[in-house]
Amino acid sequence: MSKPVVFIDGDQGTTGLQIHARLGGRQDIELLTLPEALRKDPAQRAEAINSADIAVLCLPDDAAREAVASIHNPAVRVIDASSAHRVHPDWVYGLPELSADQAERIAHASRVSNPGCYPTGAIALLRPLLQAGLVPADYPMAIHAISGYSGAGRATVERHEAGEESGVRVYGLSLEHKHVPEIQQWAGLGTRPFFVPGYGNYRQGIVLTIPLMFRLLPAGVTTERLQQCLEQAYQGAAHVQVAAPSSQVSQLDPEALNGTDGVRLHVFGNDAQGQVLLAAVFDNLGKGAAGAAVQNLDLMLMGQP
Protein backbone atom coordinates (compact mmCIF):
# COMPACT_ATOMS: atom_id res chain seq x y z
CA MET A 1 0.00 0.00 0.00
CA SER A 2 1.46 3.35 -1.06
CA LYS A 3 2.09 6.11 1.45
CA PRO A 4 -0.14 9.21 1.39
CA VAL A 5 1.51 12.06 -0.52
CA VAL A 6 1.61 15.39 1.36
CA PHE A 7 2.56 18.57 -0.52
CA ILE A 8 3.40 21.78 1.35
CA ASP A 9 2.77 24.79 -0.87
CA GLY A 10 4.76 27.67 0.59
CA ASP A 11 7.25 25.67 2.61
CA GLN A 12 9.74 28.56 2.83
CA GLY A 13 7.60 30.79 5.05
CA THR A 14 7.64 30.70 8.85
CA THR A 15 4.74 28.25 9.20
CA GLY A 16 5.71 26.20 6.15
CA LEU A 17 9.27 25.71 7.38
CA GLN A 18 7.98 24.53 10.75
CA ILE A 19 5.57 22.06 9.17
CA HIS A 20 8.26 20.79 6.81
CA ALA A 21 10.65 20.25 9.73
CA ARG A 22 7.99 18.33 11.66
CA LEU A 23 7.14 16.07 8.73
CA GLY A 24 10.60 15.62 7.25
CA GLY A 25 11.57 12.53 9.22
CA ARG A 26 8.23 10.74 9.15
CA GLN A 27 8.01 7.31 7.55
CA ASP A 28 4.21 7.13 7.22
CA ILE A 29 3.92 9.77 4.48
CA GLU A 30 5.68 10.78 1.28
CA LEU A 31 6.57 14.47 1.52
CA LEU A 32 6.45 16.25 -1.83
CA THR A 33 8.45 19.44 -2.32
CA LEU A 34 9.38 21.53 -5.34
CA PRO A 35 12.92 22.60 -6.23
CA GLU A 36 13.57 26.27 -5.50
CA ALA A 37 13.53 27.17 -9.20
CA LEU A 38 9.99 25.83 -9.60
CA ARG A 39 8.33 27.11 -6.40
CA LYS A 40 6.83 30.15 -8.09
CA ASP A 41 5.85 28.38 -11.33
CA PRO A 42 2.01 28.21 -11.32
CA ALA A 43 1.91 25.18 -13.59
CA GLN A 44 4.39 23.21 -11.50
CA ARG A 45 2.61 24.13 -8.28
CA ALA A 46 -0.76 23.11 -9.74
CA GLU A 47 0.69 19.79 -10.89
CA ALA A 48 2.11 19.15 -7.43
CA ILE A 49 -1.15 20.01 -5.67
CA ASN A 50 -3.18 17.77 -7.96
CA SER A 51 -0.81 14.86 -7.43
CA ALA A 52 -1.08 15.04 -3.63
CA ASP A 53 -3.42 13.22 -1.31
CA ILE A 54 -3.29 16.17 1.10
CA ALA A 55 -2.02 19.65 0.23
CA VAL A 56 -1.02 22.01 3.04
CA LEU A 57 -1.23 25.66 1.94
CA CYS A 58 1.13 28.05 3.75
CA LEU A 59 0.42 31.03 1.53
CA PRO A 60 -1.00 34.56 1.64
CA ASP A 61 -4.79 34.64 1.39
CA ASP A 62 -5.08 35.46 -2.32
CA ALA A 63 -2.45 32.89 -3.27
CA ALA A 64 -4.28 30.28 -1.17
CA ARG A 65 -7.51 30.99 -3.05
CA GLU A 66 -5.66 30.66 -6.35
CA ALA A 67 -4.13 27.37 -5.25
CA VAL A 68 -7.53 25.96 -4.33
CA ALA A 69 -8.95 27.14 -7.67
CA SER A 70 -6.20 25.20 -9.48
CA ILE A 71 -7.35 21.87 -8.03
CA HIS A 72 -9.12 19.65 -10.57
CA ASN A 73 -8.44 16.29 -8.91
CA PRO A 74 -11.47 15.61 -6.67
CA ALA A 75 -9.43 13.29 -4.45
CA VAL A 76 -7.12 16.07 -3.25
CA ARG A 77 -7.75 17.18 0.32
CA VAL A 78 -6.56 20.54 1.63
CA ILE A 79 -5.41 22.13 4.88
CA ASP A 80 -5.27 25.91 4.41
CA ALA A 81 -3.09 27.70 6.96
CA SER A 82 -4.09 31.13 5.62
CA SER A 83 -7.16 33.07 6.75
CA ALA A 84 -8.82 32.81 3.33
CA HIS A 85 -11.37 30.14 4.27
CA ARG A 86 -11.79 30.33 8.05
CA VAL A 87 -15.39 31.49 7.97
CA HIS A 88 -16.29 29.81 4.66
CA PRO A 89 -19.35 27.56 5.05
CA ASP A 90 -17.88 24.81 2.85
CA TRP A 91 -14.72 24.45 4.90
CA VAL A 92 -14.34 22.60 8.21
CA TYR A 93 -12.77 24.73 10.92
CA GLY A 94 -9.58 23.03 12.05
CA LEU A 95 -9.88 23.34 15.82
CA PRO A 96 -10.44 19.74 17.00
CA GLU A 97 -11.38 20.92 20.49
CA LEU A 98 -14.21 23.11 19.16
CA SER A 99 -16.84 20.48 19.97
CA ALA A 100 -17.19 16.80 20.78
CA ASP A 101 -17.48 15.83 17.10
CA GLN A 102 -15.09 18.35 15.52
CA ALA A 103 -12.10 15.99 15.38
CA GLU A 104 -14.25 13.46 13.52
CA ARG A 105 -15.41 16.14 11.09
CA ILE A 106 -11.80 17.14 10.41
CA ALA A 107 -10.76 13.50 9.93
CA HIS A 108 -13.21 13.05 7.05
CA ALA A 109 -13.13 16.57 5.56
CA SER A 110 -11.84 17.41 2.11
CA ARG A 111 -11.28 21.08 3.02
CA VAL A 112 -9.93 22.15 6.43
CA SER A 113 -9.11 25.72 7.41
CA ASN A 114 -6.38 25.94 10.05
CA PRO A 115 -7.28 28.41 12.82
CA GLY A 116 -5.45 31.68 13.30
CA CYS A 117 -3.03 31.88 16.21
CA TYR A 118 -4.87 34.55 18.21
CA PRO A 119 -8.34 33.07 17.52
CA THR A 120 -7.16 29.71 18.87
CA GLY A 121 -6.75 31.21 22.35
CA ALA A 122 -9.81 33.45 22.23
CA ILE A 123 -12.17 30.74 20.98
CA ALA A 124 -10.83 28.13 23.39
CA LEU A 125 -11.59 30.48 26.28
CA LEU A 126 -14.92 31.88 25.15
CA ARG A 127 -16.85 29.19 23.29
CA PRO A 128 -17.52 26.86 26.26
CA LEU A 129 -18.57 29.79 28.46
CA LEU A 130 -20.99 31.15 25.87
CA GLN A 131 -22.43 27.70 25.15
CA ALA A 132 -23.00 27.17 28.88
CA GLY A 133 -24.80 30.53 29.15
CA LEU A 134 -22.23 31.92 31.59
CA VAL A 135 -21.28 34.73 29.22
CA PRO A 136 -23.95 36.36 27.03
CA ALA A 137 -23.44 36.42 23.27
CA ASP A 138 -23.85 40.21 23.21
CA TYR A 139 -21.19 40.86 25.87
CA PRO A 140 -19.04 43.91 24.87
CA MET A 141 -15.95 41.76 24.41
CA ALA A 142 -12.40 43.15 24.42
CA ILE A 143 -9.49 40.85 23.60
CA HIS A 144 -5.83 41.78 23.93
CA ALA A 145 -2.85 39.65 22.94
CA ILE A 146 0.91 39.91 22.63
CA SER A 147 2.78 37.52 20.34
CA GLY A 148 6.40 36.93 19.49
CA TYR A 149 7.56 38.75 16.39
CA SER A 150 7.45 35.55 14.32
CA GLY A 151 3.70 36.05 14.14
CA ALA A 152 4.07 39.38 12.36
CA GLY A 153 5.41 38.04 9.07
CA ARG A 154 8.72 37.42 7.39
CA ALA A 155 9.72 41.09 6.97
CA THR A 156 9.27 41.76 10.69
CA VAL A 157 11.21 38.61 11.58
CA GLU A 158 14.10 39.73 9.40
CA ARG A 159 14.14 43.23 10.91
CA HIS A 160 14.15 41.88 14.47
CA GLU A 161 16.82 39.30 13.80
CA ALA A 162 18.96 41.91 12.05
CA GLY A 163 18.63 44.16 15.10
CA GLU A 164 16.72 46.80 13.12
CA GLU A 165 13.59 46.65 15.30
CA SER A 166 12.96 46.01 18.97
CA GLY A 167 10.46 46.69 21.72
CA VAL A 168 6.69 46.16 21.68
CA ARG A 169 4.34 47.18 18.87
CA VAL A 170 0.54 47.34 19.17
CA TYR A 171 -1.29 47.18 15.85
CA GLY A 172 -4.73 46.55 14.36
CA LEU A 173 -5.70 50.09 15.35
CA SER A 174 -8.11 50.43 12.42
CA LEU A 175 -10.22 47.80 14.28
CA GLU A 176 -10.43 45.79 11.07
CA HIS A 177 -8.08 42.93 11.92
CA LYS A 178 -8.78 39.89 9.75
CA HIS A 179 -9.06 37.60 12.80
CA VAL A 180 -12.15 39.39 14.15
CA PRO A 181 -14.80 37.62 11.99
CA GLU A 182 -13.19 34.28 12.79
CA ILE A 183 -13.26 34.93 16.53
CA GLN A 184 -16.83 36.19 16.41
CA GLN A 185 -18.16 33.25 14.39
CA TRP A 186 -16.44 30.36 16.14
CA ALA A 187 -16.65 31.73 19.68
CA GLY A 188 -20.38 32.25 19.13
CA LEU A 189 -20.42 35.98 19.76
CA GLY A 190 -23.45 37.91 18.60
CA THR A 191 -21.59 41.20 18.35
CA ARG A 192 -18.20 42.13 16.97
CA PRO A 193 -15.45 42.01 19.63
CA PHE A 194 -12.65 44.51 20.10
CA PHE A 195 -9.39 42.82 19.25
CA VAL A 196 -6.09 44.58 19.99
CA PRO A 197 -2.98 42.54 19.05
CA GLY A 198 0.68 43.32 19.49
CA TYR A 199 4.09 41.71 19.20
CA GLY A 200 7.14 41.91 21.40
CA ASN A 201 10.90 41.65 21.13
CA TYR A 202 11.01 37.86 21.41
CA ARG A 203 10.56 35.26 18.70
CA GLN A 204 7.50 33.23 19.61
CA GLY A 205 4.82 32.69 22.24
CA ILE A 206 1.47 34.33 23.03
CA VAL A 207 -0.33 35.66 26.07
CA LEU A 208 -3.96 36.50 25.25
CA THR A 209 -6.28 38.08 27.84
CA ILE A 210 -10.01 38.81 28.02
CA PRO A 211 -11.43 40.89 30.91
CA LEU A 212 -15.00 40.31 32.11
CA MET A 213 -17.20 42.24 34.54
CA PHE A 214 -19.51 40.15 36.72
CA ARG A 215 -22.19 42.87 36.63
CA LEU A 216 -22.55 42.20 32.90
CA LEU A 217 -22.80 38.43 33.32
CA PRO A 218 -25.88 36.40 34.31
CA ALA A 219 -26.75 36.36 38.00
CA GLY A 220 -24.85 33.76 40.00
CA VAL A 221 -21.79 33.54 37.75
CA THR A 222 -18.59 33.35 39.79
CA THR A 223 -14.92 32.76 39.14
CA GLU A 224 -15.38 29.19 40.34
CA ARG A 225 -18.21 28.49 37.88
CA LEU A 226 -16.17 29.84 34.97
CA GLN A 227 -13.22 27.68 36.02
CA GLN A 228 -15.37 24.58 36.35
CA CYS A 229 -16.95 25.15 32.95
CA LEU A 230 -13.58 25.25 31.20
CA GLU A 231 -12.30 22.25 33.13
CA GLN A 232 -15.34 20.22 32.10
CA ALA A 233 -15.12 21.36 28.46
CA TYR A 234 -11.51 20.24 28.07
CA GLN A 235 -11.45 17.20 30.31
CA GLY A 236 -9.24 14.66 28.56
CA ALA A 237 -8.14 17.04 25.81
CA ALA A 238 -4.59 16.29 24.72
CA HIS A 239 -3.66 19.81 23.67
CA VAL A 240 -5.72 22.08 25.95
CA GLN A 241 -4.91 22.39 29.65
CA VAL A 242 -6.93 24.40 32.16
CA ALA A 243 -4.60 25.64 34.88
CA ALA A 244 -5.68 25.05 38.45
CA PRO A 245 -6.68 28.20 40.35
CA SER A 246 -3.67 29.64 42.16
CA SER A 247 -3.19 32.85 44.06
CA GLN A 248 0.55 32.29 43.64
CA VAL A 249 0.47 33.09 39.91
CA SER A 250 1.43 36.75 39.64
CA GLN A 251 2.54 36.88 36.01
CA LEU A 252 2.26 34.97 32.75
CA ASP A 253 5.19 34.18 30.48
CA PRO A 254 4.25 34.14 26.78
CA GLU A 255 7.17 31.81 26.09
CA ALA A 256 6.18 29.24 28.72
CA LEU A 257 4.78 26.71 26.21
CA ASN A 258 7.20 27.36 23.36
CA GLY A 259 8.16 24.21 21.53
CA THR A 260 4.90 22.49 22.47
CA ASP A 261 1.54 22.06 20.76
CA GLY A 262 -0.51 22.87 23.84
CA VAL A 263 -2.50 25.84 25.06
CA ARG A 264 -2.92 26.60 28.76
CA LEU A 265 -6.05 28.43 29.90
CA HIS A 266 -6.29 30.48 33.10
CA VAL A 267 -9.13 32.08 35.05
CA PHE A 268 -8.07 34.90 37.40
CA GLY A 269 -10.96 36.29 39.40
CA ASN A 270 -11.65 38.81 42.11
CA ASP A 271 -15.27 38.24 43.08
CA ALA A 272 -15.15 41.03 45.67
CA GLN A 273 -14.20 43.53 42.96
CA GLY A 274 -16.58 42.01 40.42
CA GLN A 275 -13.88 41.27 37.87
CA VAL A 276 -12.39 38.22 36.17
CA LEU A 277 -9.58 37.84 33.66
CA LEU A 278 -9.46 34.95 31.21
CA ALA A 279 -6.04 34.17 29.77
CA ALA A 280 -4.42 31.78 27.30
CA VAL A 281 -0.73 30.99 26.87
CA PHE A 282 0.59 29.07 23.86
CA ASP A 283 3.20 28.98 21.11
CA ASN A 284 2.06 30.92 18.05
CA LEU A 285 4.14 28.53 15.92
CA GLY A 286 2.85 25.45 17.79
CA LYS A 287 -0.86 25.22 18.59
CA GLY A 288 -1.14 28.60 16.89
CA ALA A 289 0.12 27.45 13.47
CA ALA A 290 2.35 24.51 12.50
CA GLY A 291 1.41 22.32 15.46
CA ALA A 292 -2.27 22.78 14.71
CA ALA A 293 -1.72 21.98 11.03
CA VAL A 294 0.08 18.73 11.86
CA GLN A 295 -2.62 17.85 14.40
CA ASN A 296 -5.22 18.29 11.65
CA LEU A 297 -3.09 16.41 9.14
CA ASP A 298 -2.84 13.43 11.48
CA LEU A 299 -6.61 13.42 11.93
CA MET A 300 -7.11 13.54 8.15
CA LEU A 301 -4.63 10.71 7.63
CA MET A 302 -6.63 8.61 10.10
CA GLY A 303 -9.73 9.28 8.02
CA GLN A 304 -7.99 8.83 4.66
CA PRO A 305 -10.09 6.66 2.33
Side-chain angles (χ1 to χ4, degrees):
M1 184 176 178
S2 60
K3 298 177 181 179
V5 176
V6 177
F7 172 57
I8 305 172
D9 194 358
D11 62 357
Q12 295 307 298
T14 305
T15 298
L17 284 169
Q18 288 261 334
I19 296 172
H20 191 279
R22 289 165 177 259
L23 300 181
R26 288 181 49 161
Q27 302 301 311
D28 60 326
I29 60 172
E30 179 184 339
L31 190 58
L32 175 62
T33 59
L34 289 176
E36 186 174 357
L38 301 179
R39 286 177 187 146
K40 295 186 178 180
D41 184 322
Q44 293 291 332
R45 288 174 55 221
E47 181 179 342
I49 290 174
N50 282 282
S51 67
D53 292 293
I54 301 177
V56 184
L57 308 182
C58 302
L59 302 166
D61 289 3
D62 288 343
R65 295 185 186 98
E66 292 171 6
V68 173
S70 74
I71 297 174
H72 55 75
N73 178 357
V76 176
R77 306 168 75 195
V78 179
I79 299 172
D80 181 10
S82 83
S83 61
H85 300 101
R86 290 177 184 157
V87 296
H88 195 292
D90 296 334
W91 287 64
V92 174
Y93 192 59
L95 184 62
E97 299 84 4
L98 189 73
S99 64
D101 63 350
Q102 193 70 6
E104 186 72 15
R105 294 186 66 217
I106 293 167
H108 297 286
S110 63
R111 299 289 184 268
V112 174
S113 183
N114 219 49
C117 56
Y118 294 125
T120 294
I123 294 164
L125 286 166
L126 291 174
R127 185 178 175 91
L129 303 181
L130 269 75
Q131 288 189 324
L134 301 180
V135 176
D138 62 352
Y139 190 95
M141 199 67 65
I143 302 163
H144 178 259
I146 293 289
S147 171
Y149 58 74
S150 59
R154 182 180 235 171
T156 300
V157 171
E158 291 174 351
R159 289 197 302 273
H160 269 268
E161 298 189 344
E164 298 170 0
E165 185 174 325
S166 62
V168 176
R169 301 287 189 275
V170 173
Y171 62 103
L173 302 181
S174 67
L175 306 182
E176 291 286 351
H177 196 283
K178 65 181 181 180
H179 285 332
V180 172
E182 178 185 355
I183 294 172
Q184 181 177 350
Q185 175 167 314
W186 296 111
L189 293 167
T191 57
R192 183 181 177 88
F194 273 95
F195 174 55
V196 184
Y199 61 86
N201 193 32
Y202 62 98
R203 194 170 198 281
Q204 62 199 78
I206 288 176
V207 167
L208 178 144
T209 57
I210 305 173
L212 300 174
M213 302 290 293
F214 283 118
R215 62 182 175 82
L216 300 179
L217 302 180
V221 174
T222 62
T223 300
E224 184 179 8
R225 287 189 65 190
L226 297 174
Q227 174 82 24
Q228 290 173 346
C229 178
L230 292 178
E231 289 176 350
Q232 183 176 7
Y234 297 112
Q235 187 174 13
H239 298 289
V240 181
Q241 172 193 357
V242 181
S246 174
S247 59
Q248 304 303 311
V249 178
S250 60
Q251 59 184 11
L252 293 175
D253 177 5
E255 300 178 273
L257 293 186
N258 280 3
T260 78
D261 294 335
V263 55
R264 183 180 297 144
L265 308 181
H266 296 263
V267 180
F268 301 104
N270 188 321
D271 290 7
Q273 298 298 334
Q275 297 176 322
V276 66
L277 184 71
L278 309 177
V281 178
F282 55 107
D283 186 347
N284 58 289
L285 298 180
K287 184 60 171 170
V294 174
Q295 184 183 359
N296 288 324
L297 174 65
D298 286 339
L299 288 169
M300 294 172 76
L301 289 171
M302 288 173 58
Q304 185 79 357

